C-alpha cells in the first residue's frame, strides 16, 4: 500500500508537467494561427514590392536606357533610406504600438511603389527608391521586435523562419506574376508592362495595410481572442525567458557593446548574399539563355521553393536542439557553394538553376536563424533600438550588394565576379558566427 501510494505521489508531478506542456502547446498553436499567417502575408507583399524592381529591369532598363550600374545603384539606394529611418521607426512602433505603425508603413510604401510607373530618368528612379526605403524602414525589425512580445527565445527561430518564408513565397508567386503582368499588359492604354506591374502589385500593400488596423493586436494584454489564463501563461513564459539573461539596457550600452557590432558584421555578410540573389535572380536566369518574362519567372521560382523547405526544416532543428551557431554556418556555406556553381555554369540553365537553388536555400535560411543570436542578449525597450540598429547596419549590404554586382558586371562584362564576391562574404559571415559565445546564444 505504501509503495503504491509513493508511486502515485511520484506520478502526479509528471502528469502535471505533461498537462502543462500540452496546455502551452495548445496556447502557442492558437497564437501561431492567429498572427503568423497574417504577418507572413504582410511580408510577402513587402518583399515583392521591394524586389520587383529586379523583374522590372528586364524591360525598364531597355525602355529607359539604364545601364547595369544605374540599375544597381537605384536598387541599392533603397537601403540608404531604410538605414536612416529604421531605428527611429522601431522606437516609434514601441511607443505607439504595432497595429497603427505597421499599417502606416504598408500604406505609404504601397503608394510609393505605384509611383514608379512615372519614372523616366535615373534621378527619378534613385529618389523614389530612396523614399520607398524611408517608407518601409522599420517593418522587418518591427515584426522581429513584435514577435519578442509573444514568444520566448527558445521558440523564436521556428516562428521567424515561418515569417521569413515570405521571401521565397514572394519569389515563387511574385516572379511568375511579375513576368505575366509585364507580358500580358504591355502596351495596354499606352503603358509599358513594367509600369503596370508596379501599379498592380502596389494595390495589396494598401489594402492589407488598412486590414492591419482592424486585425493586429499590440501584444498579449490587448488580445481579446485570448482568455485570461492563456494571457497569464504567455506572459509568464516571457518573464521567465528574460530572467538570467545577460541584457543590454540602454542606447549607450548598445553602441559600446562589441557583441552588437559583431552581430552587424554577421548580418551584413548574410544580407549581401540575400539581395545579391533576390534582386539579380531574373537577370541571372535570363543570362542562361531563357527567353520570355513568364518563363524566366517560372524558373526563378524554383530556387525559392527549395528555400522554403530548407529554412523551415533548419529552423525547427535549431529550436529542437537549442543550437544556433552551426545551424547558421552550414546554410551560409551552402550559399557560398551555390554562388560559385552559378558563376562557373552561367551558360547552363539546368546546372545554374540547381546552383541558385542551393544558394537560395542557404542565404535565405541564414536570415531568420540569425535573429536568435542578438535576441539572446537584447531585452526590453533596448531590444527595439538594438534590433533596428543591427538590421539597419546589416541592410546597408542591400545597397552595397546590387551596386557592386552591377558595377562589376559593367567592368568585366560578365556576372561571375559578382557571384564570387557574394561567396566570399558568406564565408566571412560564417567565420564571424564562430566568434559568438555558445553559452550566450544556444538557448
Amino acid at each position: 500500500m505504501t509503495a503504491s501510494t509513493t508511486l502515485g505521489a511520484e506520478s502526479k508531478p509528471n502528469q502535471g508537467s505533461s498537462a502543462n506542456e500540452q496546455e502551452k502547446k495548445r496556447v502557442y498553436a492558437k497564437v501561431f494561427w492567429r498572427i503568423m499567417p497574417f504577418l507572413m502575408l504582410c511580408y510577402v507583399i513587402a518583399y515583392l514590392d521591394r524586389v520587383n524592381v529586379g523583374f522590372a529591369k528586364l524591360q525598364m532598363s531597355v525602355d529607359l536606357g539604364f545601364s547595369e550600374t544605374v540599375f544597381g545603384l537605384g536598387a541599392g539606394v533603397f537601403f540608404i533610406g531604410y538605414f536612416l529611418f529604421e531605428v527611429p521607426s522601431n522606437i516609434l512602433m514601441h511607443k505607439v504600438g504595432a497595429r497603427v505603425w505597421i499599417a502606416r508603413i504598408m500604406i505609404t510604401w504601397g503608394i510609393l511603389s505605384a509611383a514608379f510607373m512615372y519614372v523616366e530618368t535615373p534621378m527619378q528612379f534613385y529618389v523614389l527608391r530612396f523614399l520607398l526605403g524611408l517608407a518601409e524602414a522599420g517593418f522587418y525589425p518591427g515584426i522581429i521586435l513584435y514577435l519578442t512580445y509573444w514568444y520566448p527565445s527558445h521558440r523564436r527561430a521556428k516562428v521567424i523562419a515561418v515569417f521569413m518564408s515570405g521571401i521565397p513565397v514572394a519569389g515563387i508567386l511574385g516572379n511568375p506574376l511579375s513576368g505575366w503582368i509585364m507580358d500580358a499588359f504591355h502596351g495596354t492604354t499606352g503603358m509599358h508592362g513594367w509600369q503596370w506591374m508596379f501599379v498592380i502589385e502596389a494595390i495589396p500593400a494598401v489594402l492589407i495595410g488598412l486590414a492591419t488596423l482592424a486585425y493586429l493586436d499590440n501584444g498579449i494584454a490587448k488580445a481579446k481572442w485570448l482568455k485570461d489564463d492563456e494571457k497569464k501563461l504567455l506572459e509568464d513564459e516571457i518573464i521567465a525567458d528574460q530572467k538570467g539573461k545577460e541584457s543590454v539596457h540602454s542606447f549607450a550600452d548598445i553602441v559600446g557593446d562589441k557583441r552588437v557590432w559583431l552581430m552587424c558584421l554577421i548580418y551584413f555578410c548574410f544580407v549581401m548574399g540575400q539581395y545579391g540573389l533576390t534582386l539579380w535572380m531574373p537577370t541571372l536566369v535570363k543570362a542562361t539563355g531563357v527567353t520570355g518574362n513568364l518563363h524566366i519567372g517560372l524558373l526563378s521560382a524554383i530556387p525559392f521553393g527549395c528555400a522554403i523547405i530548407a529554412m523551415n526544416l533548419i529552423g525547427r532543428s535549431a529550436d529542437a536542439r537549442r543550437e544556433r551557431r552551426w545551424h547558421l554556418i552550414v546554410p551560409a556555406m551552402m550559399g557560398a557553394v551555390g554562388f560559385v556553381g552559378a558563376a562557373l555554369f552561367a551558360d547552363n540553365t539546368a546546372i545554374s538553376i540547381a546552383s541558385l537553388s542551393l544558394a537560395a536555400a542557404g542565404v535565405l535560411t541564414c536570415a531568420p536563424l540569425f535573429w536568435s543570436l542578438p535576441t539572446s542578449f537584447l531585452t526590453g525597450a533596448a531590444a527595439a533600438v538594438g534590433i533596428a540598429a543591427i538590421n539597419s547596419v546589416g541592410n546597408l549590404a542591400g545597397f552595397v550588394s546590387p551596386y557592386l554586382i552591377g558595377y562589376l558586371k559593367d567592368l568585366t562584362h560578365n556576372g561571375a565576379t559578382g557571384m564570387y564576391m557574394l561567396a566570399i562574404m558568406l564565408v566571412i559571415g560564417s567565420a564571424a558566427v564562430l566568434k559568438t559565445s555558445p553559452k550566450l546564444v544556444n538557448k
Side-chain angles (χ1 to χ4, degrees):
M1 188 73 177
T2 304
S4 176
T5 303
T6 303
L7 287 172
E10 289 176 349
S11 67
K12 286 180 182 178
N14 291 331
Q15 290 172 353
S17 176
S18 177
N20 187 45
E21 287 303 315
Q22 287 299 316
E23 178 64 6
K24 286 181 183 179
K25 186 176 180 180
R26 183 192 67 79
V27 174
Y28 276 110
K30 185 176 182 179
V31 171
F32 180 92
W33 290 111
R34 169 71 186 192
I35 68 174
M36 292 310 300
F38 186 78
L39 294 178
M40 184 177 171
L41 174 63
C42 291
Y43 198 45
V44 168
I45 294 167
Y47 209 81
L48 180 61
D49 285 345
R50 184 187 300 184
V51 302
N52 60 6
V53 68
F55 232 96
K57 173 184 179 291
L58 300 178
Q59 286 183 351
M60 192 179 189
S61 291
V62 176
D63 292 340
L64 302 181
F66 289 176
S67 69
E68 300 290 334
T69 304
V70 167
F71 169 75
L73 179 58
V77 79
F78 168 95
F79 294 96
I80 301 299
Y82 199 84
F83 170 79
L84 292 174
F85 195 54
E86 195 156 14
V87 171
S89 179
N90 237 30
I91 293 171
L92 285 168
M93 192 194 95
H94 192 66
K95 289 183 177 180
V96 306
R99 182 176 64 87
V100 170
W101 198 245
I102 290 173
R104 191 284 305 166
I105 289 172
M106 296 191 71
I107 293 167
T108 52
W109 98 51
I111 293 169
L112 284 167
S113 186
F116 275 81
M117 67 178 288
Y118 297 112
V119 168
E120 294 180 350
T121 68
M123 185 54 66
Q124 291 172 344
F125 183 46
Y126 300 153
V127 169
L128 270 179
R129 285 291 291 177
F130 175 80
L131 292 176
L132 188 65
L134 282 180
E136 195 185 322
F139 176 77
Y140 175 78
I143 296 297
I144 298 299
L145 175 64
Y146 183 67
L147 292 175
T148 68
Y149 299 162
W150 294 90
Y151 291 96
S153 57
H154 65 276
R155 294 180 185 270
R156 279 183 210 140
K158 182 173 68 175
V159 294
I160 293 175
V162 170
F163 167 65
M164 291 198 66
S165 294
I167 297 177
V169 168
I172 292 170
L173 300 179
N175 282 353
L177 175 64
S178 297
W180 177 77
I181 291 172
M182 287 169 61
D183 284 342
F185 286 80
H186 186 66
T188 303
T189 68
M191 288 168 56
H192 297 288
W194 59 268
Q195 292 174 303
W196 277 110
M197 184 201 71
F198 280 124
V199 172
I200 292 172
E201 292 183 356
I203 293 171
V206 177
L207 295 179
I208 298 299
L210 293 171
T212 300
L213 290 170
Y215 188 83
L216 205 63
D217 299 293
N218 286 333
I220 296 169
K222 298 289 185 180
K224 295 179 180 179
W225 44 274
L226 286 172
K227 298 176 182 177
D228 288 343
D229 60 328
E230 293 171 334
K231 290 181 181 180
K232 186 177 185 308
L233 184 151
L234 294 169
E235 288 168 346
D236 287 348
E237 283 273 285
I238 297 297
I239 292 169
D241 183 57
Q242 292 178 351
K243 285 181 180 178
K245 274 192 174 182
E246 194 177 343
S247 179
V248 175
H249 295 287
S250 69
F251 182 75
D253 289 338
I254 289 168
V255 173
D257 195 321
K258 293 180 180 179
R259 297 171 302 178
V260 172
W261 291 106
L262 179 62
M263 296 298 111
C264 291
L265 171 63
I266 294 168
Y267 199 51
F268 184 93
C269 292
F270 292 163
V271 171
M272 284 285 289
Q274 179 181 325
Y275 285 109
L277 178 83
T278 55
L279 288 169
W280 287 90
M281 176 81 79
T283 300
L284 294 171
V285 173
K286 183 179 181 180
T288 68
V290 179
T291 58
N293 293 320
L294 179 57
H295 292 152
I296 293 170
L298 290 170
L299 286 174
S300 297
I302 294 173
F304 293 111
C306 296
I308 286 181
I309 297 169
M311 65 198 304
N312 284 284
L313 286 178
I314 297 175
R316 286 176 179 273
S317 174
D319 274 351
R321 291 169 173 77
R322 299 202 182 190
E323 197 288 322
R324 309 299 174 183
R325 301 197 313 161
W326 288 104
H327 280 83
L328 261 175
I329 293 169
V330 170
M333 297 308 296
M334 285 167 51
V337 172
F339 281 128
V340 171
L344 292 175
F345 301 98
D347 57 349
N348 186 305
T349 301
I351 299 178
S352 183
I353 292 296
S355 297
L356 290 172
S357 295
L358 183 63
V363 298
L364 296 183
T365 295
C366 287
L369 295 183
F370 164 79
W371 287 106
S372 60
L373 304 186
T375 55
S376 65
F377 61 89
L378 291 170
T379 62
V385 179
I387 291 170
I390 292 166
N391 195 59
S392 60
V393 172
N395 268 291
L396 285 176
F399 168 74
V400 175
S401 183
Y403 176 69
L404 268 183
I405 292 174
Y407 174 76
L408 290 171
K409 189 172 182 182
D410 277 342
L411 184 67
T412 63
H413 303 293
N414 71 73
T417 308
M419 296 299 101
Y420 294 140
M421 180 266 295
L422 295 178
I424 291 169
M425 293 304 298
L426 291 173
V427 172
I428 293 172
S430 297
V433 171
L434 285 174
K435 300 291 288 183
T436 61
S437 164
K439 184 180 178 180
L440 179 67
V441 303
N442 288 341
K443 298 181 178 180

